[in-house]
Amino acid sequence: MDEQFLDLLAEKYDTEEKVITEIINLEAISNLPKGTEHYVSDLHGEFHAFQHVLRNGSGNVKEKIKDLFREVWTDDEINDFAALVYYPEEKIQLVKADLCNKKALNRWHRQTIEQMLKLVSYASSKYTRSKLRKALPEQFIYVVEELLYKTDSTNNKDPYYEVIYRQIISLGQADKLIIGLAYTIQRLVVDHLHVVGDIYDRGPDPDKIMDTLINYHSVDIQWGNHDVLWIGAYAGSLVCLANIIRIGARYDNLDIIEDVYGINLRPLLNLAEKYYDDNPAFRPKLQSDHNGSEQEILQITKIHQAIAMIQFKLEIPIIKRRPYFNMSERLLLEQIDYNNNEIKIGGKTYPLENTCFRAVNRQQPEQLLEEEQEVMEKLLFSVQHSEKLAKHMNFLMKKGSLYLKYNGNLLIHGCIPLDEKGNMEEMQIEDKTYSGRQLLDVFEYYLRYSFAHPEETDDLATDMVWYIWTGECSSLFGKREMTTFERYFIQDKETHKERKNPYYYLRENEEICRKILLEFELNPDHGHIINGHTPVKEIRGESPIKANGKMVVIDGGFSKAYQSTTGIAGYTLLFNSFGMQLVAHQKFNSKEDVLCNGTDVLSAKRLVDKELERKLVRETNVGEKLLQKISNLKDLLEYRYMK
């Protein structure tokens, strides 16, 4: 062991007693049961549904309430108390409206505080007192600890405890304490949250999801393809920026860009008004609660066309300067017969409909109009100077990665690119060839470089971020082509199909999954691959648990756009010391429905894997760090104090 390191360690542990105390503490912690991990995926801006799943811990809160009170409470009473834990502020107001006098309210306060304390005690049973203290409402830590750790079997302190309860209520602090304890319970039932990609696009509130994650006690993120698109836009990629605006227009979500992040779209609207008219192919997919005027819809339709054409133009120079991207067949603006309004794709000629090519230079289709160039420069400046967007993108980079190895499992949003034989698919980048884990590491290197150098807008790193969004060897896209152009302009739906990487059918094979786990140096006997990205069509009988339990796909349709094809409203995954459970969710209607009717969105839990022996902290990623620290402290003990 390096003596200089041990000398630095000794500055913190400057007595033998401190070293020994810390070794005892860490050894004890490492033998506690592991905490509960909570996996969510493909949130796509659906904040209210996500927030509810977070508050109920995918059913974990209600399970603990049932464990404690099922013998003495009815189902309605259990649901009522669960709603109080999920939404304490709102539920307290409803209770107050029902109670007829102050005496009844005081009785409810006293009873509820005692019930909350029982639930806190039960939910924290596998944590140290120190960890629980960090989860308690700060202003009530002393009071709560006194009431939690009552040990007076002689009843000498009964008046003491009684005065604490009375004073909490008489001083008007009962509501605050109940609210604080409710949030403590929410925090205790989930030790760590994994977001397996795609926070952004389609839904209305990705910013609120980001704010929630920033304030969450323990979280990591595996970037999804839509997340990378936003990172790329902030990092200086004009084509990524065009994509996020186009998707915002398509799903009637430009408010996120303009109102939430303060990106001025007026120059783009002025350009759109000049060159584009109404076009049915570019009308936005309206939300059910849309209340905009026909004039606003027409403006979005024009913006949609303007930014789509800019996007198609911006793709061309990237494809040409990066031949190893293997995307020459996507130079579609160059393959149009503008006189006959048709295009040849894959050797077949198709008529074009709903065209909007007025701003395209037929001799140089990639050439932006001077006005288009000016608009994109203004948009990029606005994006890179948005304080709120900077905060969110920096958090994505700090907590995010393309994949994560965590407690023996591989977490990845999309896929590991494979060929048809199940081998790791190779990609040449400049003069080197990469595949498997090495390819993903290279992708992440370029993405991080691009983010760190936002002033560079046409270098390889910035181009690579766009490739991660749309390229055939991308682990986040996982298809041979992105047929955006065809969906707008060609009626024949055969051209709309996007051929998936073989991974998406080979992942049903246990041997393939074991091979992938070995590629990432994980134990194939105990590990799992956790995927998002592709909605599981449970309505058609598809199972989210594949390859004899080695593969779990948890994109079940948080996004409302997918719920008609999945038949549910999302999957989540729970992994505690006893094993792994998959939870299916029904459509989340409203918070009011939960508060007034006690409804919840859970439909069924399925066992994915059961531990033969209860898994301990020492067997986790956190445990590895604890054991290393214990080893260092033992070396310090021998080096400094046992000579």
Side-chain angles (χ1 to χ4, degrees), residues 127-193:
Y127 297 133
T128 63
R129 287 191 180 187
S130 173
K131 187 162 185 171
L132 171 58
R133 188 177 300 119
K134 292 173 185 175
L136 293 174
E138 190 172 351
Q139 69 271 41
F140 296 113
I141 289 176
Y142 164 75
V143 169
V144 172
E145 288 189 330
E146 285 296 301
L147 295 174
L148 274 177
Y149 305 131
K150 292 196 299 184
T151 57
D152 183 24
S153 58
T154 61
N155 302 322
N156 287 333
K157 294 174 71 176
D158 282 356
Y160 168 78
Y161 297 126
E162 186 61 34
V163 168
I164 291 176
Y165 280 116
R166 282 207 308 266
Q167 289 299 306
I168 290 169
I169 294 168
S170 66
L171 293 172
Q173 299 302 300
D175 287 357
K176 291 180 183 177
L177 177 56
I178 291 168
I179 291 166
L181 291 174
Y183 287 117
T184 294
I185 292 160
Q186 290 179 28
R187 176 167 172 172
L188 291 173
V189 298
V190 171
D191 191 46
H192 186 78
L193 176 68

Side-chain angles (χ1 to χ4, degrees), residues 59 169 206 311 327-328 504 527 537 562 566 579 591 624 638:
I169 294 168
Q311 175 192 315
M327 297 176 72
S328 58
Y504 287 103
K537 297 177 176 64
Y562 291 136
T566 62
K591 176 168 57 176
E624 285 181 20
E638 184 176 346

Side-chain angles (χ1 to χ4, degrees), residues 461-514:
T462 307
D463 290 349
M464 191 63 75
V465 179
W466 173 71
Y467 182 87
I468 296 170
W469 159 251
T470 193
E472 67 174 339
C473 287
S474 165
S475 59
L476 295 187
F477 181 51
K479 297 177 183 177
R480 296 308 182 198
E481 60 278 300
M482 187 177 288
T483 58
T484 307
F485 179 95
E486 291 90 331
R487 291 167 189 264
Y488 284 130
F489 300 120
I490 301 176
Q491 187 175 23
D492 189 337
K493 292 190 182 298
E494 276 298 309
T495 66
H496 301 180
K497 291 181 179 178
E498 297 174 337
R499 296 169 294 159
K500 292 182 179 179
N501 185 277
Y503 172 90
Y504 287 103
Y505 62 82
L506 291 173
R507 68 182 179 180
E508 303 277 353
N509 184 316
E510 183 179 351
E511 285 307 309
I512 293 294
C513 291
R514 295 175 71 89

Side-chain angles (χ1 to χ4, degrees), residues 521-544:
E521 299 178 338
L522 291 167
N523 186 331
D525 292 331
H526 302 290
H528 307 80
I529 301 169
I530 315 297
N531 255 177
H533 189 50
T534 51
V536 176
K537 297 177 176 64
E538 181 156 305
I539 197 171
R540 299 182 191 172
E542 182 182 359
S543 173

Side-chain angles (χ1 to χ4, degrees), residues 101-131:
N101 56 58
K102 188 174 182 180
K103 187 176 180 180
L105 179 61
N106 288 348
R107 188 163 54 247
W108 180 84
H109 276 142
R110 169 65 183 265
Q111 185 180 43
T112 302
I113 291 169
E114 289 181 340
Q115 291 162 349
M116 283 281 188
L117 288 169
K118 284 183 181 178
L119 189 53
V120 167
S121 178
Y122 183 57
S124 64
S125 59
K126 61 183 178 183
Y127 297 133
T128 63
R129 287 191 180 187
S130 173
K131 187 162 185 171

Side-chain angles (χ1 to χ4, degrees), residues 6 23 35 45 129 151 172 196 216 226 251 309 314 319 327 337 357 366 387 402 457 532 541 544 548-549 634:
L6 292 175
I23 290 173
R129 287 191 180 187
T151 57
V196 192
Y216 201 74
H226 289 270
Y251 288 94
M309 296 315 301
L314 289 169
I319 293 169
M327 297 176 72
D337 181 341
F357 302 146
E366 75 271 22
E387 186 176 337
L402 272 182
T457 60
N548 198 24
K634 287 181 176 179

